Short mmCIF file of all heavy atoms in Angstrom, two decimals:
data_model
loop_
_atom_site.label_atom_id
_atom_site.label_comp_id
_atom_site.label_asym_id
_atom_site.label_seq_id
_atom_site.Cartn_x
_atom_site.Cartn_y
_atom_site.Cartn_z
N GLU A 81 -10.65 14.80 -10.53
CA GLU A 81 -10.62 13.37 -10.30
C GLU A 81 -9.45 12.62 -11.03
O GLU A 81 -9.06 11.54 -10.65
CB GLU A 81 -11.89 12.67 -10.60
CG GLU A 81 -13.02 13.13 -9.78
CD GLU A 81 -12.91 12.87 -8.29
OE1 GLU A 81 -11.86 12.16 -7.95
OE2 GLU A 81 -13.69 13.24 -7.44
N TYR A 82 -8.88 13.31 -12.07
CA TYR A 82 -7.81 12.67 -12.84
C TYR A 82 -6.51 12.86 -12.10
O TYR A 82 -6.14 13.96 -11.64
CB TYR A 82 -7.66 13.27 -14.25
CG TYR A 82 -6.65 12.64 -15.06
CD1 TYR A 82 -6.88 11.39 -15.76
CD2 TYR A 82 -5.39 13.29 -15.36
CE1 TYR A 82 -5.81 10.85 -16.51
CE2 TYR A 82 -4.40 12.67 -16.14
CZ TYR A 82 -4.68 11.51 -16.69
OH TYR A 82 -3.66 10.95 -17.46
N ASP A 83 -5.68 11.78 -12.08
CA ASP A 83 -4.37 11.84 -11.46
C ASP A 83 -3.25 11.60 -12.52
O ASP A 83 -3.49 10.89 -13.44
CB ASP A 83 -4.21 10.76 -10.34
CG ASP A 83 -4.90 11.21 -9.03
OD1 ASP A 83 -4.88 12.44 -8.71
OD2 ASP A 83 -5.48 10.35 -8.40
N GLU A 84 -2.09 12.20 -12.34
CA GLU A 84 -1.05 12.16 -13.31
C GLU A 84 -0.61 10.75 -13.72
O GLU A 84 -0.24 10.48 -14.79
CB GLU A 84 0.12 13.01 -12.79
CG GLU A 84 1.18 13.20 -13.79
CD GLU A 84 2.33 14.15 -13.38
OE1 GLU A 84 2.35 14.41 -12.13
OE2 GLU A 84 3.07 14.68 -14.15
N TRP A 85 -0.66 9.80 -12.70
CA TRP A 85 -0.19 8.51 -13.02
C TRP A 85 -1.21 7.64 -13.83
O TRP A 85 -0.85 6.53 -14.33
CB TRP A 85 0.19 7.71 -11.74
CG TRP A 85 -0.96 7.72 -10.75
CD1 TRP A 85 -1.16 8.62 -9.70
CD2 TRP A 85 -2.09 6.85 -10.66
NE1 TRP A 85 -2.23 8.32 -8.96
CE2 TRP A 85 -2.84 7.23 -9.59
CE3 TRP A 85 -2.49 5.76 -11.40
CZ2 TRP A 85 -4.04 6.59 -9.20
CZ3 TRP A 85 -3.64 5.14 -11.03
CH2 TRP A 85 -4.37 5.50 -10.01
N MET A 86 -2.41 8.16 -13.98
CA MET A 86 -3.41 7.43 -14.73
C MET A 86 -3.11 7.54 -16.25
O MET A 86 -2.49 8.52 -16.76
CB MET A 86 -4.79 8.00 -14.46
CG MET A 86 -5.30 7.75 -13.11
SD MET A 86 -6.84 8.64 -12.75
CE MET A 86 -7.35 7.93 -11.15
N PRO A 87 -3.54 6.52 -17.02
CA PRO A 87 -3.30 6.66 -18.48
C PRO A 87 -4.03 7.82 -19.08
O PRO A 87 -5.12 8.16 -18.66
CB PRO A 87 -3.86 5.27 -19.05
CG PRO A 87 -4.77 4.81 -17.95
CD PRO A 87 -4.24 5.32 -16.62
N ARG A 88 -3.40 8.38 -20.14
CA ARG A 88 -4.04 9.56 -20.72
C ARG A 88 -5.32 9.27 -21.38
O ARG A 88 -6.23 10.20 -21.39
CB ARG A 88 -3.01 10.20 -21.67
CG ARG A 88 -3.33 11.52 -22.18
CD ARG A 88 -3.43 12.61 -21.07
NE ARG A 88 -2.21 12.70 -20.29
CZ ARG A 88 -1.27 13.60 -20.57
NH1 ARG A 88 -1.36 14.50 -21.51
NH2 ARG A 88 -0.17 13.63 -19.80
N ASP A 89 -5.54 8.05 -21.79
CA ASP A 89 -6.84 7.70 -22.36
C ASP A 89 -7.96 7.81 -21.31
O ASP A 89 -9.12 8.10 -21.67
CB ASP A 89 -6.78 6.20 -22.85
CG ASP A 89 -8.12 5.79 -23.42
OD1 ASP A 89 -8.35 6.15 -24.54
OD2 ASP A 89 -8.82 5.02 -22.72
N PHE A 90 -7.64 7.72 -20.02
CA PHE A 90 -8.68 7.85 -19.04
C PHE A 90 -9.13 9.26 -18.93
O PHE A 90 -10.27 9.53 -18.64
CB PHE A 90 -8.15 7.27 -17.69
CG PHE A 90 -9.23 7.24 -16.66
CD1 PHE A 90 -10.40 6.53 -16.88
CD2 PHE A 90 -9.03 7.69 -15.34
CE1 PHE A 90 -11.44 6.46 -15.95
CE2 PHE A 90 -10.06 7.61 -14.39
CZ PHE A 90 -11.21 6.95 -14.68
N TRP A 91 -8.23 10.18 -19.11
CA TRP A 91 -8.61 11.60 -19.12
C TRP A 91 -9.64 11.86 -20.34
O TRP A 91 -10.66 12.52 -20.13
CB TRP A 91 -7.40 12.52 -19.34
CG TRP A 91 -7.72 13.92 -19.65
CD1 TRP A 91 -7.67 14.45 -20.91
CD2 TRP A 91 -8.18 14.96 -18.75
NE1 TRP A 91 -8.12 15.83 -20.85
CE2 TRP A 91 -8.42 16.08 -19.52
CE3 TRP A 91 -8.40 14.97 -17.39
CZ2 TRP A 91 -8.89 17.32 -18.93
CZ3 TRP A 91 -8.94 16.13 -16.82
CH2 TRP A 91 -9.09 17.28 -17.58
N SER A 92 -9.30 11.21 -21.42
CA SER A 92 -10.24 11.39 -22.59
C SER A 92 -11.58 10.73 -22.24
O SER A 92 -12.63 11.36 -22.66
CB SER A 92 -9.66 10.75 -23.80
OG SER A 92 -8.39 11.35 -24.15
N LEU A 93 -11.61 9.66 -21.55
CA LEU A 93 -12.87 9.05 -21.18
C LEU A 93 -13.59 9.85 -20.22
O LEU A 93 -14.89 10.05 -20.44
CB LEU A 93 -12.61 7.69 -20.54
CG LEU A 93 -13.92 6.74 -20.34
CD1 LEU A 93 -14.39 6.19 -21.64
CD2 LEU A 93 -13.55 5.61 -19.44
N LEU A 94 -12.99 10.44 -19.22
CA LEU A 94 -13.63 11.35 -18.29
C LEU A 94 -14.21 12.61 -18.99
O LEU A 94 -15.32 13.02 -18.68
CB LEU A 94 -12.67 11.76 -17.15
CG LEU A 94 -12.09 10.66 -16.27
CD1 LEU A 94 -11.13 11.18 -15.23
CD2 LEU A 94 -13.27 9.99 -15.47
N GLN A 95 -13.44 13.19 -19.84
CA GLN A 95 -13.89 14.26 -20.61
C GLN A 95 -15.12 14.01 -21.39
O GLN A 95 -16.06 14.76 -21.52
CB GLN A 95 -12.77 14.90 -21.56
CG GLN A 95 -11.76 15.69 -20.73
CD GLN A 95 -12.31 17.01 -20.22
OE1 GLN A 95 -12.61 17.13 -19.08
NE2 GLN A 95 -12.45 17.94 -21.20
N GLU A 96 -15.04 12.85 -22.09
CA GLU A 96 -16.18 12.39 -22.88
C GLU A 96 -17.46 12.22 -22.02
O GLU A 96 -18.62 12.58 -22.40
CB GLU A 96 -15.88 11.21 -23.68
CG GLU A 96 -17.07 10.71 -24.62
CD GLU A 96 -16.62 9.50 -25.46
OE1 GLU A 96 -15.43 9.06 -25.39
OE2 GLU A 96 -17.54 8.97 -26.24
N GLY A 97 -17.22 11.66 -20.75
CA GLY A 97 -18.37 11.52 -19.84
C GLY A 97 -18.92 12.78 -19.46
O GLY A 97 -20.17 12.98 -19.40
N LEU A 98 -18.10 13.82 -19.22
CA LEU A 98 -18.59 15.18 -18.88
C LEU A 98 -19.45 15.79 -20.09
O LEU A 98 -20.45 16.35 -19.88
CB LEU A 98 -17.40 16.06 -18.52
CG LEU A 98 -17.68 17.56 -18.39
CD1 LEU A 98 -18.52 17.87 -17.22
CD2 LEU A 98 -16.33 18.32 -18.32
N GLN A 99 -18.88 15.66 -21.25
CA GLN A 99 -19.49 16.30 -22.42
C GLN A 99 -20.71 15.56 -22.82
O GLN A 99 -21.69 16.20 -23.40
CB GLN A 99 -18.44 16.34 -23.54
CG GLN A 99 -17.28 17.26 -23.26
CD GLN A 99 -16.12 16.97 -24.12
OE1 GLN A 99 -16.20 16.20 -25.12
NE2 GLN A 99 -14.98 17.61 -23.89
N TYR A 100 -20.90 14.34 -22.51
CA TYR A 100 -22.06 13.51 -22.94
C TYR A 100 -23.31 13.76 -22.06
O TYR A 100 -24.38 13.61 -22.54
CB TYR A 100 -21.67 12.01 -22.82
CG TYR A 100 -22.78 11.09 -23.28
CD1 TYR A 100 -23.38 11.23 -24.52
CD2 TYR A 100 -23.26 10.06 -22.48
CE1 TYR A 100 -24.38 10.41 -25.05
CE2 TYR A 100 -24.29 9.25 -22.87
CZ TYR A 100 -24.86 9.33 -24.15
OH TYR A 100 -25.84 8.52 -24.49
N TYR A 101 -23.13 14.33 -20.85
CA TYR A 101 -24.26 14.51 -19.99
C TYR A 101 -25.40 15.28 -20.60
O TYR A 101 -26.49 14.79 -20.57
CB TYR A 101 -23.82 15.14 -18.67
CG TYR A 101 -23.86 14.15 -17.49
CD1 TYR A 101 -22.81 13.43 -17.11
CD2 TYR A 101 -25.08 14.07 -16.69
CE1 TYR A 101 -22.86 12.51 -16.05
CE2 TYR A 101 -25.10 13.19 -15.64
CZ TYR A 101 -24.02 12.39 -15.35
OH TYR A 101 -24.13 11.52 -14.29
N PRO A 102 -25.18 16.47 -21.06
CA PRO A 102 -26.36 17.26 -21.63
C PRO A 102 -27.01 16.52 -22.76
O PRO A 102 -28.30 16.52 -22.82
CB PRO A 102 -25.65 18.47 -22.11
CG PRO A 102 -24.48 18.65 -21.38
CD PRO A 102 -23.92 17.28 -21.17
N ASP A 103 -26.30 15.81 -23.69
CA ASP A 103 -26.90 15.05 -24.75
C ASP A 103 -27.71 13.90 -24.24
O ASP A 103 -28.88 13.60 -24.74
CB ASP A 103 -25.88 14.54 -25.70
CG ASP A 103 -25.21 15.70 -26.48
OD1 ASP A 103 -25.78 16.80 -26.54
OD2 ASP A 103 -24.09 15.49 -27.01
N PHE A 104 -27.21 13.28 -23.20
CA PHE A 104 -27.94 12.13 -22.60
C PHE A 104 -29.23 12.56 -22.01
O PHE A 104 -30.28 11.90 -22.23
CB PHE A 104 -27.01 11.51 -21.58
CG PHE A 104 -27.65 10.46 -20.69
CD1 PHE A 104 -28.02 9.24 -21.14
CD2 PHE A 104 -28.06 10.88 -19.38
CE1 PHE A 104 -28.68 8.31 -20.27
CE2 PHE A 104 -28.74 9.99 -18.55
CZ PHE A 104 -29.02 8.70 -18.97
N LEU A 105 -29.21 13.61 -21.23
CA LEU A 105 -30.43 14.07 -20.57
C LEU A 105 -31.45 14.50 -21.57
O LEU A 105 -32.61 14.19 -21.55
CB LEU A 105 -30.07 15.25 -19.62
CG LEU A 105 -29.22 14.86 -18.47
CD1 LEU A 105 -28.84 16.14 -17.62
CD2 LEU A 105 -29.83 13.83 -17.56
N ALA A 106 -30.93 15.23 -22.60
CA ALA A 106 -31.90 15.68 -23.72
C ALA A 106 -32.48 14.53 -24.50
O ALA A 106 -33.72 14.51 -24.76
CB ALA A 106 -31.17 16.66 -24.61
N HIS A 107 -31.68 13.57 -24.76
CA HIS A 107 -32.17 12.39 -25.58
C HIS A 107 -33.27 11.62 -24.86
O HIS A 107 -34.16 11.12 -25.50
CB HIS A 107 -30.99 11.55 -25.90
CG HIS A 107 -31.38 10.30 -26.69
ND1 HIS A 107 -31.77 10.41 -28.02
CD2 HIS A 107 -31.42 8.99 -26.40
CE1 HIS A 107 -32.00 9.21 -28.53
NE2 HIS A 107 -31.84 8.32 -27.57
N HIS A 108 -33.15 11.63 -23.55
CA HIS A 108 -34.20 10.80 -22.80
C HIS A 108 -35.22 11.77 -22.12
O HIS A 108 -35.97 11.24 -21.24
CB HIS A 108 -33.43 10.00 -21.71
CG HIS A 108 -32.51 8.98 -22.27
ND1 HIS A 108 -32.94 7.87 -22.97
CD2 HIS A 108 -31.18 8.96 -22.30
CE1 HIS A 108 -31.90 7.21 -23.34
NE2 HIS A 108 -30.78 7.81 -22.98
N GLY A 109 -35.27 13.02 -22.54
CA GLY A 109 -36.28 13.83 -22.08
C GLY A 109 -36.22 14.28 -20.62
O GLY A 109 -37.25 14.62 -20.07
N LEU A 110 -35.01 14.34 -20.13
CA LEU A 110 -34.85 14.74 -18.70
C LEU A 110 -34.41 16.17 -18.62
O LEU A 110 -33.38 16.56 -19.19
CB LEU A 110 -33.84 13.78 -18.01
CG LEU A 110 -34.21 12.27 -18.00
CD1 LEU A 110 -33.03 11.48 -17.42
CD2 LEU A 110 -35.45 12.16 -17.06
N GLU A 111 -35.16 17.01 -17.94
CA GLU A 111 -34.80 18.34 -17.72
C GLU A 111 -33.63 18.47 -16.73
O GLU A 111 -33.58 17.65 -15.85
CB GLU A 111 -36.04 19.20 -17.17
CG GLU A 111 -37.25 19.16 -18.16
CD GLU A 111 -37.01 20.04 -19.39
OE1 GLU A 111 -36.12 20.87 -19.32
OE2 GLU A 111 -37.68 19.80 -20.36
N HIS A 112 -32.80 19.51 -16.89
CA HIS A 112 -31.66 19.67 -15.96
C HIS A 112 -32.14 19.83 -14.52
O HIS A 112 -31.54 19.15 -13.65
CB HIS A 112 -30.87 20.91 -16.41
CG HIS A 112 -30.11 20.66 -17.70
ND1 HIS A 112 -29.05 21.55 -18.14
CD2 HIS A 112 -30.11 19.63 -18.59
CE1 HIS A 112 -28.64 21.02 -19.23
NE2 HIS A 112 -29.27 19.96 -19.62
N ALA A 113 -33.11 20.65 -14.35
CA ALA A 113 -33.65 20.83 -12.94
C ALA A 113 -34.27 19.56 -12.32
O ALA A 113 -34.19 19.39 -11.16
CB ALA A 113 -34.68 21.93 -12.93
N GLN A 114 -34.72 18.71 -13.19
CA GLN A 114 -35.39 17.51 -12.77
C GLN A 114 -34.38 16.52 -12.07
O GLN A 114 -34.80 15.73 -11.17
CB GLN A 114 -35.96 16.82 -14.06
CG GLN A 114 -36.92 15.71 -13.83
CD GLN A 114 -37.52 15.17 -15.14
OE1 GLN A 114 -37.16 15.75 -16.22
NE2 GLN A 114 -38.36 14.12 -15.09
N VAL A 115 -33.14 16.61 -12.45
CA VAL A 115 -32.16 15.72 -11.90
C VAL A 115 -31.07 16.52 -11.19
O VAL A 115 -29.97 15.95 -10.82
CB VAL A 115 -31.45 14.81 -13.03
CG1 VAL A 115 -32.56 13.89 -13.59
CG2 VAL A 115 -30.81 15.67 -14.10
N GLY A 116 -31.26 17.85 -10.97
CA GLY A 116 -30.26 18.66 -10.28
C GLY A 116 -28.96 18.81 -11.06
O GLY A 116 -27.90 19.06 -10.43
N TYR A 117 -29.07 18.80 -12.34
CA TYR A 117 -27.87 18.99 -13.16
C TYR A 117 -27.58 20.44 -13.51
O TYR A 117 -28.54 21.13 -13.86
CB TYR A 117 -27.89 18.22 -14.52
CG TYR A 117 -26.84 18.48 -15.47
CD1 TYR A 117 -25.61 17.76 -15.40
CD2 TYR A 117 -26.89 19.44 -16.50
CE1 TYR A 117 -24.52 18.02 -16.25
CE2 TYR A 117 -25.82 19.70 -17.33
CZ TYR A 117 -24.67 18.97 -17.23
OH TYR A 117 -23.55 19.25 -18.05
N ARG A 118 -26.30 20.91 -13.39
CA ARG A 118 -25.89 22.24 -13.70
C ARG A 118 -24.45 22.29 -14.04
O ARG A 118 -23.70 21.56 -13.32
CB ARG A 118 -26.33 23.21 -12.71
CG ARG A 118 -25.74 23.06 -11.30
CD ARG A 118 -26.27 24.07 -10.37
NE ARG A 118 -25.83 23.76 -8.97
CZ ARG A 118 -24.69 24.12 -8.40
NH1 ARG A 118 -23.84 24.85 -9.18
NH2 ARG A 118 -24.39 23.76 -7.16
N LYS A 119 -24.06 23.07 -14.97
CA LYS A 119 -22.62 23.39 -15.18
C LYS A 119 -22.12 24.31 -14.03
O LYS A 119 -22.89 25.22 -13.71
CB LYS A 119 -22.35 23.91 -16.51
CG LYS A 119 -22.61 22.86 -17.62
CD LYS A 119 -22.24 23.39 -18.99
CE LYS A 119 -22.41 22.39 -20.02
NZ LYS A 119 -22.06 22.91 -21.46
N THR A 120 -20.92 24.16 -13.60
CA THR A 120 -20.42 24.98 -12.53
C THR A 120 -18.91 24.98 -12.52
O THR A 120 -18.22 24.10 -13.05
CB THR A 120 -20.92 24.53 -11.16
OG1 THR A 120 -20.49 25.38 -10.12
CG2 THR A 120 -20.43 23.10 -10.83
N ASP A 121 -18.32 26.04 -11.93
CA ASP A 121 -16.92 26.08 -11.72
C ASP A 121 -16.57 25.21 -10.41
O ASP A 121 -17.42 25.06 -9.56
CB ASP A 121 -16.42 27.46 -11.52
CG ASP A 121 -16.35 28.31 -12.79
OD1 ASP A 121 -16.64 27.69 -13.85
OD2 ASP A 121 -16.15 29.49 -12.69
N PHE A 122 -15.26 24.78 -10.37
CA PHE A 122 -14.73 24.20 -9.19
C PHE A 122 -13.52 24.98 -8.73
O PHE A 122 -12.85 25.55 -9.54
CB PHE A 122 -14.31 22.74 -9.41
CG PHE A 122 -15.39 21.60 -9.33
CD1 PHE A 122 -16.47 21.74 -10.22
CD2 PHE A 122 -15.34 20.64 -8.47
CE1 PHE A 122 -17.50 20.81 -10.17
CE2 PHE A 122 -16.28 19.61 -8.40
CZ PHE A 122 -17.36 19.74 -9.25
N THR A 123 -13.40 25.11 -7.39
CA THR A 123 -12.18 25.66 -6.80
C THR A 123 -11.44 24.69 -6.02
O THR A 123 -11.82 24.15 -4.94
CB THR A 123 -12.53 26.94 -5.87
OG1 THR A 123 -13.31 27.83 -6.64
CG2 THR A 123 -11.25 27.47 -5.43
N LEU A 124 -10.29 24.21 -6.58
CA LEU A 124 -9.47 23.28 -5.94
C LEU A 124 -8.49 23.99 -4.98
O LEU A 124 -7.67 24.67 -5.51
CB LEU A 124 -8.71 22.35 -7.04
CG LEU A 124 -7.91 21.21 -6.55
CD1 LEU A 124 -7.79 20.21 -7.63
CD2 LEU A 124 -6.56 21.54 -5.95
N LEU A 125 -8.64 23.75 -3.70
CA LEU A 125 -7.89 24.48 -2.74
C LEU A 125 -6.57 23.67 -2.37
O LEU A 125 -6.61 22.39 -2.31
CB LEU A 125 -8.65 24.71 -1.40
CG LEU A 125 -9.88 25.61 -1.53
CD1 LEU A 125 -10.55 25.73 -0.22
CD2 LEU A 125 -9.44 27.03 -2.01
N GLY A 126 -5.52 24.43 -2.20
CA GLY A 126 -4.30 23.82 -1.69
C GLY A 126 -4.29 23.97 -0.14
O GLY A 126 -3.95 25.04 0.40
N MET A 127 -4.68 22.95 0.51
CA MET A 127 -4.92 23.03 1.99
C MET A 127 -3.63 23.00 2.74
O MET A 127 -2.63 22.40 2.25
CB MET A 127 -5.74 21.90 2.47
CG MET A 127 -7.15 21.73 1.80
SD MET A 127 -8.08 23.26 1.96
CE MET A 127 -8.49 23.21 3.75
N ARG A 128 -3.50 23.83 3.75
CA ARG A 128 -2.26 23.95 4.52
C ARG A 128 -1.80 22.63 5.08
O ARG A 128 -0.58 22.44 5.30
CB ARG A 128 -2.38 25.00 5.56
CG ARG A 128 -2.61 26.38 5.06
CD ARG A 128 -2.62 27.51 6.15
NE ARG A 128 -2.90 28.89 5.56
CZ ARG A 128 -1.93 29.58 5.11
NH1 ARG A 128 -0.63 29.20 5.14
NH2 ARG A 128 -2.24 30.86 4.64
N GLU A 129 -2.72 21.72 5.45
CA GLU A 129 -2.30 20.56 6.14
C GLU A 129 -1.99 19.45 5.18
O GLU A 129 -1.69 18.24 5.63
CB GLU A 129 -3.35 20.09 7.04
CG GLU A 129 -4.63 19.50 6.47
CD GLU A 129 -5.71 20.59 6.21
OE1 GLU A 129 -5.38 21.80 6.12
OE2 GLU A 129 -6.90 20.23 6.15
N THR A 130 -2.11 19.63 3.85
CA THR A 130 -1.79 18.56 2.87
C THR A 130 -0.52 18.95 2.06
O THR A 130 -0.01 20.02 2.18
CB THR A 130 -2.96 18.36 1.97
OG1 THR A 130 -3.16 19.51 1.16
CG2 THR A 130 -4.30 18.06 2.78
N ASP A 131 -0.14 17.92 1.26
CA ASP A 131 1.08 18.17 0.46
C ASP A 131 0.75 18.43 -0.99
O ASP A 131 1.50 18.13 -1.89
CB ASP A 131 1.98 16.95 0.58
CG ASP A 131 1.39 15.55 0.12
OD1 ASP A 131 0.18 15.64 -0.17
OD2 ASP A 131 2.05 14.51 0.17
N VAL A 132 -0.47 18.83 -1.26
CA VAL A 132 -0.87 19.18 -2.68
C VAL A 132 -0.02 20.38 -3.17
O VAL A 132 -0.01 21.40 -2.57
CB VAL A 132 -2.29 19.50 -2.67
CG1 VAL A 132 -2.77 19.90 -4.16
CG2 VAL A 132 -3.17 18.31 -2.32
N CYS A 133 0.63 20.10 -4.27
CA CYS A 133 1.38 21.21 -4.93
C CYS A 133 0.52 21.80 -6.05
O CYS A 133 0.32 21.23 -7.13
CB CYS A 133 2.73 20.63 -5.44
SG CYS A 133 3.76 21.89 -6.30
N LEU A 134 0.09 23.03 -5.76
CA LEU A 134 -0.88 23.64 -6.70
C LEU A 134 -0.15 23.88 -8.06
O LEU A 134 -0.86 23.74 -9.11
CB LEU A 134 -1.42 24.94 -6.11
CG LEU A 134 -2.42 24.80 -4.97
CD1 LEU A 134 -2.78 26.23 -4.50
CD2 LEU A 134 -3.73 24.12 -5.55
N SER A 135 1.14 24.32 -8.10
CA SER A 135 1.74 24.65 -9.33
C SER A 135 1.86 23.41 -10.19
O SER A 135 1.67 23.50 -11.43
CB SER A 135 3.09 25.25 -9.10
OG SER A 135 3.93 24.39 -8.34
N ASP A 136 2.19 22.25 -9.58
CA ASP A 136 2.31 21.00 -10.32
C ASP A 136 0.92 20.63 -10.89
O ASP A 136 0.84 20.16 -12.01
CB ASP A 136 2.84 19.86 -9.45
CG ASP A 136 4.31 20.01 -9.13
OD1 ASP A 136 4.95 20.94 -9.86
OD2 ASP A 136 4.79 19.33 -8.29
N ARG A 137 -0.10 20.75 -10.03
CA ARG A 137 -1.46 20.37 -10.49
C ARG A 137 -1.94 21.33 -11.65
O ARG A 137 -2.51 20.89 -12.61
CB ARG A 137 -2.42 20.48 -9.36
CG ARG A 137 -3.87 20.02 -9.61
CD ARG A 137 -3.95 18.54 -9.78
NE ARG A 137 -5.22 18.01 -10.17
CZ ARG A 137 -5.56 16.82 -10.34
NH1 ARG A 137 -4.67 15.91 -10.19
NH2 ARG A 137 -6.72 16.39 -10.72
N PHE A 138 -1.58 22.58 -11.47
CA PHE A 138 -2.03 23.53 -12.49
C PHE A 138 -1.34 23.21 -13.83
O PHE A 138 -1.91 23.26 -14.90
CB PHE A 138 -1.74 24.92 -12.06
CG PHE A 138 -2.07 25.97 -13.08
CD1 PHE A 138 -3.35 26.34 -13.41
CD2 PHE A 138 -0.95 26.65 -13.75
CE1 PHE A 138 -3.65 27.33 -14.28
CE2 PHE A 138 -1.30 27.73 -14.62
CZ PHE A 138 -2.60 27.97 -14.88
N SER A 139 -0.03 22.91 -13.75
CA SER A 139 0.69 22.45 -14.97
C SER A 139 0.10 21.32 -15.65
O SER A 139 0.01 21.31 -16.89
CB SER A 139 2.15 22.22 -14.59
OG SER A 139 3.00 21.85 -15.70
#
Side-chain angles (χ1 to χ4, degrees):
E81 297 295 356
Y82 181 79
D83 283 320
E84 188 172 16
W85 52 265
M86 293 174 169
R88 194 56 60 94
D89 179 78
F90 190 50
W91 168 259
S92 300
L93 189 74
L94 295 175
Q95 282 291 103
E96 186 177 353
L98 169 67
Q99 294 161 6
Y100 181 55
Y101 248 90
D103 292 340
F104 168 76
L105 296 176
H107 181 70
H108 296 292
L110 296 174
E111 299 291 337
H112 289 191
Q114 196 175 354
V115 296
Y117 173 85
R118 60 183 170 87
K119 292 185 177 180
T120 183
D121 289 351
F122 276 59
T123 301
L124 188 155
L125 294 179
M127 304 303 292
R128 292 185 182 274
E129 72 269 23
T130 67
D131 58 356
V132 175
C133 180
L134 287 175
S135 60
D136 288 348
R137 183 73 185 179
F138 179 70
S139 176

